[in-house]
């Protein structure tokens, strides 16, 4: 992954919205490994620095990062493709407890 520039990664990320399942699943695996695994430590540090007094759970950060990615890409009509492409690799999407906690908390407004 280190051989790709950020612009190249952005092109691959967009493929999670592809209607071809094989392509979108491969892009989902790439997005998971690059954005949600390699870059997650940096995101965790940022969240910790901004919220000294409150501990935020890692699944909440992952869900917020996915939501941010989705909103930044403005492809709302293809949201189901994104979820499908990530379903097998991003375990937190199937973590209903964390999903419910995040929806009931005030963290989404931040």
């Amino acid at each position: 992954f280190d051989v790709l520039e950020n612009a190249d990664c952005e092109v691959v990320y967009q493929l999670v919205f592809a209607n071809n399942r094989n392509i979108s699943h491969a892009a989902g695996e790439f997005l998971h490994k690059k954005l949600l695994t390699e870059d997650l430590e940096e995101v965790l540090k940022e969240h910790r620095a901004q919220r000294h007094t409150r501990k935020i759970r890692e699944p909440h950060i992952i869900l917020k990062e996915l939501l941010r990615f989705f909103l930044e890409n403005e492809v709302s009509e293809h949201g189901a493709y994104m979820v499908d492409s990530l379903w097998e690799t991003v375990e937190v999407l199937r973590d209903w407890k964390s999903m419910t906690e995040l929806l009931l908390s005030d963290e989404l407004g931040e």
Side-chain angles (χ1 to χ4, degrees), residues 3-71:
V3 296
L4 295 175
E5 301 284 330
N6 284 339
D8 299 325
C9 291
E10 291 295 326
V11 172
V12 177
Y13 295 158
Q14 294 304 307
L15 294 174
V16 299
F17 300 107
N19 61 1
N20 181 301
R21 277 189 106 207
N22 292 331
I23 292 173
S24 67
H25 281 233
E29 287 180 39
F30 179 84
L31 183 128
H32 178 255
K33 288 178 182 168
K34 177 70 175 140
L35 190 67
L36 299 176
T37 303
E38 288 184 9
D39 297 348
L40 183 63
E41 195 56 43
E42 182 179 321
V43 172
L44 285 169
K45 285 179 188 175
E46 289 175 19
H47 280 277
R48 288 181 191 124
Q50 293 171 2
R51 295 170 182 83
H52 307 283
T53 59
R54 210 172 65 188
K55 184 173 179 166
I56 186 167
R57 293 186 55 224
E58 186 173 314
H60 292 186
I61 293 172
I62 293 170
L63 288 169
K64 287 173 71 172
E65 285 300 303
L66 286 172
L67 183 59
R68 181 190 55 75
F69 172 80
F70 178 73
L71 293 173

Side-chain angles (χ1 to χ4, degrees), residues 51-109:
R51 295 170 182 83
H52 307 283
T53 59
R54 210 172 65 188
K55 184 173 179 166
I56 186 167
R57 293 186 55 224
E58 186 173 314
H60 292 186
I61 293 172
I62 293 170
L63 288 169
K64 287 173 71 172
E65 285 300 303
L66 286 172
L67 183 59
R68 181 190 55 75
F69 172 80
F70 178 73
L71 293 173
E72 284 179 357
N73 285 284
E74 300 176 353
V75 194
S76 59
E77 65 273 6
H78 297 296
Y81 293 143
M82 179 181 154
V83 171
D84 183 61
S85 72
L86 296 168
W87 190 257
E88 295 298 321
T89 56
V90 181
E91 188 176 315
V92 73
L93 289 176
R94 299 179 309 277
D95 180 356
W96 299 113
K97 181 180 178 195
S98 292
M99 193 89 67
T100 303
E101 287 174 355
L102 182 61
L103 290 170
L104 293 174
S105 74
D106 62 345
E107 291 177 32
L108 284 175

